[in-house]
Amino acid sequence: MRPTALKGATVFTGNGRIIRNGTLLIQGGRVSRVGKDIKTPFLTKGISARGKFITPGLIDVWSTLALRSGGAGGHALARAEDAFDRYATHEINAALARGVTAVYLPARGTSGIGGLGAVVRLKPGAAPQEVLVAGEAAVCATIGIDATRGPLARVKEVRDFRKRWQTAKDYREAREDYEESLEEYEEKLKKGTDEPGKGEPKKKKTGAGAVAEGDSIDGPPRRRPRRGGKTDQPTSKPSEKKKDGPKKPKEPPRDSQSELLLRVMDGELPLRVEVHRPQDILNVLEVAREFNLRLIIEGASGAHLVADKLAEADVPVILDRPAASMRFDSGPRRYTVPDAAARLIEAGVDVYLGSGPHAPTRRLALLASQRVGHGFDQEAALKTITSGAARLLGIEDQLGTLARGMPADFVVWSDHPFKPGARVEKVYIEGVQVYRADSEP
Amino acid sequence: MMINCITRPVRILTAALLSTAAAADDRWAIRAAAYVDSSGELRKGALIIIDGGSISSVAVDGESAGDLRIVTYEGAVVSPGLIDVHAALGADGQLSERQSAVQPQANARDAFDRYHREFGRAARAGVTCLGLSPDDSNLVGGRIAICKTSGADGGPYVLSDSGPMKLSLSPAVFRRDREPTSRGGAVAMLRKSIEPAWGARTVFVATPSGADVLTMLRMARDYELKLVLMHQVDVRGVGVEIATAKAGVIVGPLGWSTSPRVATAAGLLEKKDVAVAIAGGLPAAAADSLRLGAALAARNGLSLAAARRAITSVPAEFLGVADRVGAIEKGRDADLVIFSGDPLDLRSRVLAVYIDGRLVHSVVDSRE
């Protein structure tokens, strides 16, 4: 494919560099060079972008774009990627028209652990494996977001949330105990086979195996014991027999939810919690500290009131749109303030901007520019929706900056993206134009 | 700490003078880097002379102002006070009687609650005037009252209680427990109730569908009504008819979730020469929703000048109070909002708000 060069634009590389009258050279779907006075190779297709602004494709770190039937969550093993409808072309085009080329999608339930969030790229007509950037971007959870449930329900939610992590921790201990005693048992078994006859331990092994199997769902159907409990005798009899020989330890049943949570506790996956109200945020911080979780907080109305605690714990915060109504709100969002971003940053908290849990991708550039009006630094705000977003999602080596070797996902704007009247003119993903302003219906 | 971070970039030379600017009965002037003129364009250099609560003259900066007291906002833009053309501020849910669908004698003035704190919040966001309006649930909802969010005695007041009549053909009109129960019946009832003189020639009509628009255009011709259409989602089909009939259109409220189809409506209407106002929808929407709506429309094809007019002079014209508010011109009320930049730029902040020449909000005051 011929190399393409966009010339004469102001290029925001995403990592803070601004190149005026710059050139962006694309080859093979990737950024080949970006800068001033670049020599273009032979047969380069030149496109004038004089007076235009180029940014990396915006990344929405919190969206529900093309998530069918209200989302994906509810169970720890739910996966947002499964709920993403890549044929929802209308929604995807609307996002592209706003300059967004990649989104993080949560798996969100109404309370507690919701599932695995995913990052997808909005590449129309691409194969599923090309669309998916990360299938396991984070474990999602929500605390206290249902305002209809009343205050005691929140207490219970936090309790259940903590309990879930404790269960995972206990599960790990039980597994470790089991593996330890299994080793011991096998050692004993080895010793045992040296002394008595060969047939006996083998028989015992199958017997013990049957007991373990009986607890799992795929075991043979067994009759329920009567109230007296004496019918248990047939099963307890063989164990009595085994009294003298080594006893095989009972394997704890597999708990795939706990196994997922253990990956979070090991720092392999971040935990993203949508939580509002300062007290709920503190509660979640406490659980995260106790179980050593890499926490990211979403929504976070009232986070500015506990900003020092968030900074101390080094927990980033994702804000969505400011309050949508001037009515007094008794719900979880009552602590929302327009200058939350500026106040959090002042306290040393990392702030990111997303569309939020109730919307497909919103107008991210406008959202960011409004935060600038409330004290968010302009360059930082632009970084937040490009390279910063990529870093938060752990995909900074794949998206979010325009640098040599990075995929050519970028947006051509008619003006500085924060200026009034600025329009998205063209959007490219991997060097291919996927949107043009006048192609809109 | 919070106040500091808001006002840090603000450079105001005569901050000390602001506290005395509150007196409405003297001659003084505001100087700023630019102002929004009556065509909606930004004009460089502004020296606005205020006399007794109204604008006495607008001079190009550099002209001598004599020995007038001048309040200078360096680098700032002066905009006419923003006007929410269709709001329910302080009277949410109290503006429409549900018992009968035809209420021409109702007047929103009677639901006006001057002690409601929402007025102050709107004023601080730069909204100085609004059309207090019945909602869409009645065929004939009643008269719209035009209110200011603050006044000479510090409280909001009714500027005019003889605003346009509010009509609606929205699905909210049709209920099981009263007339009308069909579209045909609704239009018949409307025709019957238009006959007696309402006093109002201008009507605001909620017309969700293109068919409703055509019905109202016919009726406007029959009864010589001046039509302002609102809550109209689909302007693509009937744009030409609206333009030919010279009806006005209220777009919005536009918010973060507004679809591209709705957001582009204002721009399409402008191309057909239709006067467009953008509603803020207070208090259901946030206090700064007027600017958000105008910014959204501007990003979706509306020209910047028309977007500024859509939240100032066009609403004033629709509400019939264009001789008092909506523009920075000689003789108009001194309802002025000082922004740190272009009012359409969401990066700009409200630095000060004047209503009837009286300072009602200033971020500088809070720093002192």
Side-chain angles (χ1 to χ4, degrees):
Chain A
M1 214 171 123
R2 271 170 75 190
T4 309
L6 286 98
K7 294 174 179 172
T10 304
V11 184
F12 294 93
T13 58
N15 46 21
R17 233 175 114 209
I18 301 171
I19 305 158
R20 276 171 233 288
N21 197 8
T23 298
L24 180 67
L25 184 65
I26 307 150
Q27 198 159 14
R30 291 186 175 268
V31 176
S32 161
R33 293 194 68 187
V34 58
K36 251 181 174 170
D37 307 320
I38 284 173
K39 270 197 180 168
T40 50
F42 184 56
L43 281 179
T44 297
K45 183 181 164 195
I47 298 173
S48 169
R50 200 157 293 281
K52 312 289 182 201
F53 284 70
I54 294 178
T55 65
L58 306 185
I59 302 171
D60 191 346
V61 293
W62 194 21
S63 166
T64 55
L65 181 79
L67 278 188
R68 289 298 122 197
S69 56
H75 189 272
L77 300 180
R79 297 172 74 97
E81 63 166 298
D82 296 334
F84 174 67
D85 177 5
R86 67 197 183 86
Y87 298 104
T89 44
H90 197 77
E91 274 179 50
I92 290 173
N93 280 337
L96 290 172
R98 293 160 193 180
V100 175
T101 58
V103 295
Y104 165 86
L105 305 167
R108 183 176 185 267
T110 50
S111 112
I113 314 264
L116 275 162
V119 180
V120 297
R121 218 160 167 198
L122 305 179
K123 200 176 171 189
Q129 65 273 18
E130 272 186 278
V131 168
L132 191 69
V133 181
E136 298 183 339
V139 169
C140 313
T142 58
I143 295 289
I145 55 161
D146 190 348
T148 58
R149 288 202 211 175
L152 270 180
R154 273 166 54 214
V155 174
K156 187 173 167 291
E157 263 183 71
V158 174
R159 191 198 64 191
D160 289 349
F161 184 64
R162 180 191 298 269
K163 213 160 118 189
R164 199 65 202 77
W165 295 100
Q166 189 59 52
T167 308
K169 205 175 173 187
D170 293 346
Y171 171 72
R172 166 170 283 171
E173 274 160 22
R175 294 288 310 177
E176 282 168 358
D177 283 351
Y178 163 72
E179 268 151 34
E180 220 168 83
S181 41
L182 187 69
E183 241 169 61
E184 254 170 51
Y185 163 74
E186 272 165 1
E187 233 161 71
K188 272 183 196 166
L189 214 59
K190 252 185 195 171
K191 276 181 198 164
T193 43
D194 294 340
E195 286 158 20
K198 278 179 185 175
E200 216 185 335
K202 215 176 183 181
K203 202 175 162 191
K204 269 178 197 165
K205 206 178 173 184
T206 50
V211 172
E213 243 176 89
D215 286 331
S216 72
I217 38 161
D218 26 53
R222 307 169 81 206
R223 278 171 68 200
R224 283 173 126 230
R226 278 215 218 119
R227 263 178 227 153
K230 288 208 168 177
T231 42
D232 252 1
Q233 268 183 353
T235 43
S236 59
K237 257 182 189 169
S239 62
E240 268 170 43
K241 267 187 193 169
K242 281 188 278 176
K243 219 190 257 171
D244 46 338
K247 187 179 169 188
K248 188 181 178 188
K250 191 173 156 189
E251 183 177 358
R254 281 272 167 198
D255 178 355
S256 39
Q257 283 202 42
S258 289
E259 275 170 16
L260 179 70
L261 300 190
L262 287 171
R263 289 173 63 197
V264 179
M265 282 157 83
D266 292 341
E268 198 184 314
L269 289 170
L271 172 73
R272 290 182 47 156
V273 186
E274 185 190 348
V275 57
H276 302 274
R277 301 187 189 86
Q279 185 53 51
D280 287 8
I281 294 172
L282 289 179
N283 290 343
V284 172
L285 275 180
E286 184 57 34
V287 173
R289 198 189 54 76
E290 189 180 334
F291 295 99
N292 190 31
L293 312 173
R294 185 150 58 92
L295 186 65
I296 298 167
I297 283 186
E298 297 169 341
S301 319
H304 60 284
L305 298 171
V306 292
D308 50 335
K309 295 279 191 302
L310 288 165
E312 200 183 297
D314 200 15
V315 170
V317 167
I318 300 170
L319 301 171
D320 59 330
R321 57 152 175 71
S325 166
M326 64 187 295
R327 283 192 196 122
F328 176 72
D329 186 3
S330 60
R333 285 178 177 268
R334 96 182 81 156
Y335 298 96
T336 305
V337 290
D339 59 341
R343 290 165 81 168
L344 285 165
I345 286 166
E346 199 169 336
V349 180
D350 281 344
V351 174
Y352 298 88
L353 302 174
S355 294
H358 304 298
T361 288
R362 299 181 201 270
R363 293 145 174 106
L364 267 191
L366 197 60
L367 201 67
S369 79
Q370 193 183 42
R371 293 287 182 181
V372 172
H374 289 288
F376 199 167
D377 176 67
Q378 178 160 311
E379 304 306 323
L382 198 55
K383 253 191 198 176
T384 287
I385 51 178
T386 53
S387 61
R391 205 174 47 246
L392 178 79
L393 299 173
I395 52 166
E396 68 269 36
D397 52 340
Q398 298 176 62
L399 294 174
T401 40
L402 291 174
R404 190 173 201 148
M406 292 291 280
D409 293 15
F410 62 93
V411 184
V412 181
W413 303 77
S414 64
D415 205 340
H416 187 293
F418 290 169
K419 274 204 176 155
R423 285 170 65 87
V424 171
E425 294 194 338
K426 292 171 192 168
V427 181
Y428 291 77
I429 291 182
E430 281 182 352
V432 178
Q433 186 177 298
V434 292
Y435 172 81
R436 254 185 88 127
D438 44 66
S439 67
E440 213 188 340
Chain B
M1 185 170 67
M2 166 206 172
I3 289 149
N4 259 340
C5 84
I6 293 174
T7 59
R8 198 185 299 131
V10 182
R11 287 163 297 143
I12 291 168
L13 295 180
T14 53
L17 281 174
L18 276 172
S19 45
T20 53
D25 52 5
D26 62 348
R27 241 173 97 81
W28 59 286
I30 290 176
R31 176 178 276 152
Y35 76 101
V36 179
D37 72 8
S38 44
S39 68
E41 300 286 357
L42 286 183
R43 194 174 285 203
K44 284 222 169 79
L47 184 67
I48 299 159
I49 298 165
I50 293 154
D51 191 356
S54 54
I55 298 167
S56 136
S57 75
V58 186
V60 181
D61 193 22
E63 253 175 60
S64 165
D67 54 355
L68 277 184
R69 185 167 56 78
I70 298 176
V71 180
T72 304
Y73 292 94
E74 201 154 280
V77 176
V78 188
S79 161
L82 308 184
I83 304 175
D84 189 353
V85 69
H86 190 269
L89 215 58
D92 204 9
Q94 300 298 316
L95 286 157
S96 292
E97 181 54 51
R98 302 286 196 276
Q99 290 298 317
S100 143
V102 181
Q103 311 261 346
Q105 68 287 353
N107 193 314
R109 161 204 68 207
D110 300 323
F112 171 68
D113 174 8
R114 74 186 301 265
Y115 300 105
H116 205 290
R117 60 179 181 163
E118 282 170 359
F119 287 104
R121 292 168 67 190
R124 288 194 287 280
V127 181
T128 58
C129 184
L130 54 97
L132 194 64
S133 176
D135 64 23
D136 289 357
S137 62
N138 283 340
L139 198 54
V140 180
R143 291 297 279 272
I144 293 167
I146 295 97
C147 313
K148 289 228 194 167
T149 52
S150 185
D153 62 347
Y157 68 97
V158 176
L159 180 67
S160 160
D161 62 359
S162 48
M165 183 66 81
K166 175 67 193 288
L167 310 180
S168 168
L169 290 173
S170 126
V173 169
F174 303 98
R175 293 153 55 108
R176 288 174 153 270
D177 57 352
R178 66 171 200 200
E179 285 187 299
T181 53
S182 70
R183 282 172 46 89
V187 174
M189 278 175 82
L190 200 52
R191 281 183 183 273
K192 212 175 355 178
S193 78
I194 286 180
E195 308 273 15
W198 280 341
R201 286 270 76 117
T202 307
V203 291
F204 281 17
V205 201
T207 47
S209 80
D212 298 330
V213 172
L214 297 183
T215 304
M216 278 320 295
L217 290 176
R218 254 193 323 272
M219 211 172 295
R221 208 176 46 225
D222 295 351
Y223 299 99
E224 289 173 4
L225 298 173
K226 192 180 174 305
L227 211 57
V228 177
L229 303 165
M230 58 184 303
H231 294 166
Q232 160 65 36
V233 178
D234 196 10
V235 296
R236 275 150 228 270
V238 287
V240 178
E241 286 84 349
I242 293 173
T244 319
K246 298 210 180 314
V249 174
I250 298 170
V251 171
L254 305 175
W256 293 111
S257 317
T258 298
S259 71
R261 207 179 157 77
V262 176
T264 50
L268 290 174
L269 287 165
E270 186 200 11
K271 286 187 184 70
K272 295 193 163 75
D273 260 344
V274 175
V276 179
I278 294 170
L282 305 180
D288 57 359
S289 67
L290 271 173
R291 283 175 66 207
L292 173 62
L296 269 173
R299 280 180 180 242
N300 286 280
L302 189 65
S303 72
L304 297 181
R308 292 185 201 104
R309 285 200 309 272
I311 53 176
T312 54
S313 58
V314 179
E317 190 195 312
F318 285 177
L319 291 167
V321 286
D323 56 330
R324 293 288 303 271
V325 296
I328 300 177
E329 266 177 21
K330 185 177 182 340
R332 307 283 174 98
D333 294 359
D335 295 356
L336 303 167
V337 185
I338 322 292
F339 287 102
S340 63
D342 186 345
L344 288 187
D345 191 334
L346 296 188
R347 293 174 296 178
S348 312
R349 296 170 311 279
V350 173
L351 301 180
V353 180
Y354 293 87
I355 297 180
D356 294 337
R358 186 177 169 279
L359 182 72
V360 297
H361 171 63
S362 167
V363 295
V364 185
D365 265 356
S366 37
R367 189 166 60 174
E368 285 170 349

